[in-house]
Amino acid sequence: MITSETGSSLNINFEFVSHFGGLISDVVVAENYTYIGQGQDFVVLNTSNITDPSPAGRLNTFSLIKEIEISGNYAYLTDFENSLLIVNITHPSSPTLESRFNLTGNLTNLAVTGNYAYIVKENNSLLMVDISDPRSPALVEVYSNPYITSISDLDVAGNYTYLLDRNNGLFIVDITNPRYKKLINMYDNVNKSKDLGVWGNYAYLINESGFLEILDISDPFNIALAGSYDVGILPYSFTVEEKYAYVTSLSGLFIVDINDPSSPALKGIYNSQGAKRIDIEDNYAYLISDNSLMIVDITEPSYPIIGGRYDSVGKVDSVSVKDNYAYLAKGDEGLLIVDLNDLSVPKIAHICDFDNYIYNVYLVDNYAYATYENGLALVNITDPHEPEIVSTLNISANISDVVIAGNYAYVMDKNTGLAILDISVPSSPSLISNYKSSDYTKNVAVAGNYAYISHENNNSIEILNISVPSSPVFENIYMTPGSVYGIAVAGDYAYLASGEKGLAILNISNPSSPKLMNIYSTDFASDVTIEGNYAYVIDTEKGVVTLDITNPSSPIIAGMYKTGGGIKSIATSGNYVYIADMNNGLVIICMQTEPDRIPPASVTDLKGNSIGPTWINWTWNNPDDADFSHVMIYIDGTFITNTSDVFYNLTGISERSTHTISTKSVDFSGNINATWINNSATTYSINTGGSGRIETLEDIANLELKDVDTQYLGINSFVTYEFTRAGDFIDSVSFFSLRNTGRIKSTIEILKDRSKLVKINPEGVVYKYFNIWVGDQGFSSPANIADPKINFKVDRSWLQQMRVSPENVKLQMYNGVTWEVMPTTVKGSDDSYIFFEAYPFGFSTFAITAQTTLKSTLEDDMPIQTKSDNIESRPQTSNPWTTIVSIFLITAIGAGYLFLKKEKD
């Protein structure tokens, strides 16, 4: 067995021509326009005339669109490539892409308000993106909480983000300061809720059982159930407008009167098949199904009626092309004939309705042969605009493939084998033979006097002699390298799409003894089509992989094109490839065989994603070029490897060593982008996180005592360092760990006087100065920790002596330039001490002070007790730039600390 190499020069460039149809994913209405996601197209419909919606504008994007939000002159889209797209819709007839912001992880939900887009990632974290400059969006913050694990929806209202967790309930997060979000409450008395909306003082939830639940959130800290209603159906989505809730389901639209939230009641029903998402504008409800927009007049909610409709193509299962027409198998929508005379604007020529689900279509001369679940339909297509169904023939129960050769149709049934039909008289086809295969069958190919049947389960093909079609004869079984999902025969060769094994090529010049010539490796080959000297392989990950098979024993990669969805079948005609995409409709691309001399774009967002003491993990986004091949990786100026992945792990390196990754992108034609994209990162040291002795920068005479604790830091976990040494007034230091960093040490240095790292005194009367260090240089940064907290105590006798009230005690933190007052609150007391809790934004040099005139530069918003004792809290800042600068300066202090320690050593 020969496995071909995957690196060769391409001689085909694919250029996008047009896109037709695709599943409708979302709908938003704004004034006279309705915006929908249709496959990978952002479509603008003019709905000023409700009875006749018409396309006004269209923007072809990079991938299938997930969600749409409209704000002002911009549309915000998320897609299946995990990107946020910002589209300028100032002129709805010509929407233009303003920017594309690539993010990592699966993006599931989107909300936009003010200058921020809120996006749910991987169902368990919230991304906040600054969109104040639509041309240059920026990630501001990532919020996560160990109790939030399965977010199904979100909404933003006022200063709060509402996160609906399918398993754990409703969470309310204060976003007054976007950089310091704080969980303030949760409500867990909900069951498998899937959709959420906040209007006024109420949050509306609908669960998978069909219950609409209404929560009173007028006081976000005290959530209460106001009412509920059993809609009695499996819901898909809903929206609220004034005193009605509009709930969609696969069986239609349900209108619920919520004027009295404590007693909601059904008001009206509009029956429609497959209703998914909904938006309301004036007195109309805009509903979408997979392939339609329905505009329903809800002026009288008790009697909703259809006002207008826009129908699209939806998904496509199969495509064949003849002359200037494409024939699309459209499942339960029948056979769709598309006029391709103007490839830039495909148009529907005719729809053939059947009583059955159409799976595949095969064209020969003036006939289309369409398979449905248990039979074959013959359609006269002499006039594509007026096709005629001339006959149907029920054959078996589970048809999976059909091939036409001469006067015969070879129909494959998954369970019963091969049926051969005489179609010499199209109006009267007849079954002439059945061949019962030895196993579950899937595909059939015919060449000359032989039929080749694929067996998916036992990794084999069965070869039949069909020289006498009425009496097929077993010739041989050939065991294949893997399961066979598609088969094509050309000349003396059979080409097998063998899943994860790739494309297997057999020499079948002697059908009784096939010989394996080569296996071309792909991610997952699901089907193959042969045209001339090219094999077009459908790969579930890479899209259409085109191989030059001039020499079948040594195929060469010639081109590649990936659509936004999942490819089902392809057809070729001249220089064009027609792709049937399950969710993206019909995609048309053009093949250009001129040499490609244009390099791909560079990688983007190259960064050190995670760093340890002996390793660095870099990540990036590969370019969107359809012919992108790989990235050249250099470390510290030395070439290391080529990769098509979006990450590189450098391992086995020293602690506290700096390394630079340099990249260049390359396409399949060998064109190299000359621009270097670089990033440098430094490994951590584990010495200061272990149990070894740490020297101090403080003068020994100024050091009253030192206390140390070591803890193991795991990703997304709460960590508390406890200090018990006599004379240490710091009881604990805690924070939320964002990374796996192992054993990390925290050190408390109680000082007799002001630290030598500080040049000015804080305001007020000073109780104590002290330092807190956690980990190595720069470790206590927002990339590693969140929600830092310090618990400390002050001697009662000092307060009495200074005539200070406990409420006037404040923790101050030195930010490298000046002292800042941290939010501080009294937590309790005993006979000797008053106990306090403070929320710094990092760890540095501190002072415990007291003075009634002190005013915090941070809001003194203390944690609020909620239903969960472990809900996290984080203070908010009145000036985020102050905090950013402070963090930078604190990091600089830490750097200076280590530098001076080295000098001292």
Side-chain angles (χ1 to χ4, degrees):
M1 180 176 67
I2 304 171
T3 302
S4 63
E5 298 179 0
T6 58
S8 301
S9 295
L10 298 182
N11 61 3
I12 289 181
N13 296 318
F14 288 111
E15 294 183 1
F16 175 83
V17 176
S18 61
H19 169 246
F20 186 61
L23 297 183
I24 299 177
S25 58
D26 202 1
V27 58
V28 178
V29 184
E31 297 180 346
N32 291 326
Y33 294 94
T34 299
Y35 302 85
I36 62 174
Q38 185 179 12
Q40 67 183 89
D41 283 358
F42 174 66
V43 179
V44 184
L45 301 175
N46 186 329
T47 48
S48 56
N49 181 358
I50 296 296
T51 63
D52 186 25
S54 59
R58 181 182 297 262
L59 175 68
N60 181 260
T61 68
F62 306 92
S63 180
L64 297 179
I65 294 171
K66 283 187 177 180
E67 296 203 356
I68 301 173
E69 289 283 328
I70 303 292
S71 179
N73 290 327
Y74 294 93
Y76 301 84
L77 323 175
T78 54
D79 65 16
F80 279 82
E81 291 292 330
N82 305 319
S83 299
L84 173 67
L85 308 179
I86 303 180
V87 179
N88 190 321
I89 55 171
T90 303
H91 304 290
S93 61
S94 56
T96 57
L97 182 64
E98 200 77 15
S99 63
R100 181 188 186 192
F101 188 48
N102 294 318
L103 297 160
T104 58
N106 181 31
L107 309 182
T108 56
N109 303 95
L110 168 69
V112 173
T113 183
N115 288 327
Y116 296 96
Y118 301 83
I119 307 171
V120 175
K121 169 187 171 183
E122 300 289 357
N123 297 114
N124 60 17
S125 58
L126 178 66
L127 310 181
M128 179 178 284
V129 179
D130 186 335
I131 53 174
S132 55
D133 181 358
R135 297 181 183 85
S136 182
L139 182 64
V140 174
E141 184 75 11
V142 179
Y143 176 81
S144 62
N145 185 293
Y147 300 100
I148 303 176
T149 60
S150 52
I151 301 172
S152 57
D153 203 2
L154 86 159
D155 203 355
V156 179
N159 292 327
Y160 300 103
T161 294
Y162 299 80
L163 301 176
L164 183 61
D165 188 294
R166 189 183 304 273
N167 299 321
N168 301 315
L170 178 66
F171 293 79
I172 303 180
V173 180
D174 189 330
I175 56 170
T176 304
N177 186 332
R179 296 182 182 275
Y180 290 94
K181 296 180 288 296
K182 180 173 65 176
L183 179 64
I184 64 168
N185 205 353
M186 67 171 292
Y187 183 86
D188 58 8
N189 191 23
V190 292
N191 180 33
K192 299 292 182 183
S193 293
K194 65 187 295 291
D195 210 5
L196 164 71
V198 175
W199 287 271
N201 290 326
Y202 295 95
Y204 300 83
L205 293 67
I206 196 157
N207 64 32
E208 294 173 357
S209 300
F211 274 87
L212 175 68
E213 297 179 295
I214 306 174
L215 304 181
D216 185 339
I217 55 169
S218 54
D219 179 1
F221 305 101
N222 185 23
I223 306 171
L225 179 66
S228 64
Y229 180 78
D230 183 4
V231 184
I233 46 89
L234 181 64
Y236 191 96
S237 183
F238 79 100
T239 190
V240 170
E241 184 73 14
E242 295 182 348
K243 61 180 181 178
Y244 295 103
Y246 300 85
V247 183
T248 64
S249 76
L250 296 181
S251 56
L253 172 65
F254 293 76
I255 304 175
V256 181
D257 187 335
I258 55 171
N259 191 46
D260 179 2
S262 65
S263 183
L266 183 65
K267 187 71 173 179
I269 298 176
Y270 176 77
N271 293 316
S272 64
Q273 292 297 316
K276 299 196 303 184
R277 299 204 173 189
I278 182 173
D279 199 9
I280 304 292
E281 179 79 3
D282 296 330
N283 290 320
Y284 293 94
Y286 295 74
L287 311 176
I288 58 168
S289 64
D290 283 346
N291 58 357
S292 298
L293 168 70
M294 295 157 284
I295 306 176
V296 180
D297 188 335
I298 52 173
T299 304
E300 176 47 66
S302 300
Y303 302 100
I305 58 174
I306 189 70
R309 186 182 182 100
Y310 169 81
D311 291 311
S312 178
V313 173
K315 68 177 184 179
V316 177
D317 288 319
S318 174
V319 60
S320 291
V321 175
K322 182 178 184 295
D323 298 329
N324 290 321
Y325 292 88
Y327 298 79
L328 311 180
K330 289 281 295 144
D332 54 11
E333 299 168 40
L335 175 65
L336 178 66
I337 304 176
V338 180
D339 186 334
L340 301 175
N341 282 285
D342 182 354
L343 286 175
S344 64
V345 187
K347 299 177 180 178
I348 296 176
H350 192 86
I351 300 176
C352 294
D353 291 322
F354 293 86
D355 293 331
N356 297 283
Y357 191 106
I358 302 300
Y359 289 96
N360 294 292
V361 59
Y362 196 101
L363 306 178
V364 175
D365 297 329
N366 290 324
Y367 288 91
Y369 300 83
T371 62
Y372 49 92
E373 188 171 21
N374 60 347
L376 180 69
L378 282 70
V379 183
N380 188 321
I381 56 171
T382 303
D383 182 358
H385 292 270
E386 294 292 337
E388 178 188 1
I389 301 174
V390 296
S391 63
T392 59
L393 180 65
N394 291 335
I395 305 166
S396 56
N398 202 351
I399 292 177
S400 59
D401 198 10
V402 62
V403 170
I404 309 300
N407 290 324
Y408 299 96
Y410 298 84
V411 182
M412 181 61 63
D413 183 280
K414 293 181 180 179
N415 301 317
T416 62
L418 181 66
I420 303 178
L421 310 182
D422 184 338
I423 56 172
S424 56
V425 181
S427 61
S428 182
S430 60
L431 177 67
I432 62 172
S433 65
N434 264 317
Y435 178 83
K436 174 63 177 176
S437 184
S438 59
D439 198 1
Y440 176 88
T441 57
K442 183 174 178 64
N443 300 100
V444 59
V446 173
N449 291 326
Y450 294 92
Y452 302 83
I453 300 171
S454 69
H455 293 163
E456 185 175 345
N457 287 344
N458 67 0
N459 299 355
S460 66
I461 59 170
E462 192 169 358
I463 305 171
L464 306 181
N465 187 319
I466 54 171
S467 55
V468 181
S470 61
S471 182
V473 177
F474 171 80
E475 182 78 21
N476 189 19
I477 284 185
Y478 178 81
M479 302 306 296
T480 58
S483 298
V484 180
Y485 298 92
I487 182 170
V489 175
D492 290 334
Y493 296 91
Y495 301 83
L496 314 180
S498 298
E500 60 188 13
K501 296 293 184 180
L503 180 70
I505 304 176
L506 307 181
N507 186 320
I508 54 171
S509 55
N510 180 3
S512 62
S513 181
K515 180 181 178 182
L516 179 65
M517 301 300 294
N518 203 303
I519 297 178
Y520 187 90
S521 177
T522 64
D523 285 346
F524 193 98
S526 61
D527 204 357
V528 59
T529 297
I530 306 298
E531 184 68 29
N533 290 326
Y534 294 101
Y536 299 88
V537 181
I538 297 176
D539 185 277
T540 56
E541 294 296 324
K542 295 179 179 177
V544 179
V545 177
T546 305
L547 304 177
D548 185 334
I549 53 171
T550 304
N551 179 3
S553 63
S554 182
I556 300 173
I557 183 71
M560 189 178 300
Y561 188 88
K562 186 174 182 180
T563 67
I567 300 175
K568 295 283 285 185
S569 77
I570 64 173
T572 61
S573 178
N575 289 330
Y576 294 94
V577 177
Y578 302 85
I579 303 171
D581 192 293
M582 182 169 57
N583 298 315
N584 202 22
L586 176 65
V587 179
I588 304 173
I589 57 177
C590 179
M591 300 182 293
Q592 302 290 341
T593 56
E594 295 181 2
D596 174 19
R597 296 185 177 89
I598 301 176
S602 300
V603 303
T604 57
D605 198 25
L606 175 63
K607 61 186 177 182
N609 186 55
S610 58
I611 302 171
T614 60
W615 50 268
I616 301 172
N617 170 257
W618 281 286
T619 62
W620 60 84
N621 294 321
N622 283 331
D624 295 319
D625 301 67
D627 62 346
F628 165 75
S629 173
H630 62 268
V631 175
M632 301 169 66
I633 303 295
Y634 291 76
I635 299 295
D636 299 330
T638 301
F639 174 76
I640 302 297
T641 188
N642 293 326
T643 181
S644 59
D645 292 326
V646 292
F647 64 89
Y648 179 77
N649 291 320
L650 178 63
T651 60
I653 50 181
S654 302
E655 299 174 25
R656 299 187 66 183
S657 59
T658 300
H659 300 276
T660 299
I661 186 173
S662 302
T663 68
K664 287 186 176 182
S665 55
V666 185
D667 66 19
F668 279 109
S669 295
N671 297 305
I672 301 174
N673 190 318
T675 302
W676 287 103
I677 304 298
N678 309 309
N679 180 264
S680 297
T682 302
T683 57
Y684 295 136
S685 170
I686 60 175
N687 293 331
T688 59
S691 57
R693 180 171 175 262
I694 304 177
E695 297 292 341
T696 180
L697 289 177
E698 301 292 343
D699 295 332
I700 297 299
N702 192 39
L703 187 62
E704 185 171 310
L705 67 84
K706 182 163 68 175
D707 204 349
V708 175
D709 189 25
T710 301
Q711 296 293 329
Y712 183 89
L713 273 59
I715 189 170
N716 292 338
S717 61
F718 289 101
V719 179
T720 299
Y721 292 88
E722 295 183 342
F723 303 96
T724 57
R725 185 174 176 181
D728 189 351
F729 52 84
I730 306 300
D731 291 327
S732 67
V733 170
S734 60
F735 51 82
F736 187 75
S737 173
L738 300 175
R739 298 180 184 271
N740 281 319
T741 49
R743 292 176 60 81
I744 297 295
K745 179 181 292 183
S746 177
T747 302
I748 305 294
E749 295 177 337
I750 308 299
L751 308 178
K752 297 177 181 178
D753 203 346
R754 193 185 72 195
S755 169
K756 64 181 293 184
L757 302 174
V758 177
K759 303 302 181 184
I760 59 174
N761 291 328
E763 294 184 22
V765 180
V766 177
Y767 174 65
K768 286 288 185 180
Y769 289 103
F770 63 96
N771 300 326
I772 297 181
W773 310 112
V774 177
D776 206 347
Q777 172 187 351
F779 178 80
S780 56
S781 70
N784 295 320
I785 69 171
D787 306 329
K789 181 174 67 174
I790 301 173
N791 285 303
F792 64 92
K793 58 192 174 188
V794 175
D795 196 304
R796 280 181 175 273
S797 61
W798 183 83
L799 295 174
Q800 294 170 356
Q801 177 185 352
M802 304 305 299
R803 300 179 181 273
V804 171
S805 170
E807 287 73 20
N808 293 327
V809 172
K810 300 293 179 182
L811 180 69
Q812 295 193 49
M813 178 176 177
Y814 189 69
N815 66 16
V817 176
T818 188
W819 291 90
E820 285 194 68
V821 179
M822 301 294 103
T824 311
T825 186
V826 178
K827 299 301 294 182
S829 64
D830 61 17
D831 292 341
S832 302
Y833 296 97
I834 306 296
F835 298 94
F836 298 86
E837 194 171 75
Y839 296 87
F841 47 75
F843 297 113
S844 177
T845 294
F846 297 92
I848 299 172
T849 64
Q851 183 173 316
T852 56
T853 59
L854 286 178
K855 180 175 177 57
S856 175
T857 59
L858 304 179
E859 293 181 8
D860 285 345
D861 55 337
M862 291 300 104
I864 296 169
Q865 187 65 31
T866 66
K867 293 182 64 176
S868 171
D869 292 336
N870 293 316
I871 291 179
E872 60 174 303
S873 300
R874 178 185 280 189
Q876 303 169 349
T877 64
S878 58
N879 188 342
W881 286 107
T882 300
T883 303
I884 293 171
V885 173
S886 300
I887 291 173
F888 172 79
L889 291 170
I890 289 167
T891 303
I893 292 174
Y897 182 102
L898 291 171
F899 175 80
L900 291 174
K901 182 173 81 66
K902 280 187 176 181
E903 294 295 314
K904 185 173 183 177
D905 290 344

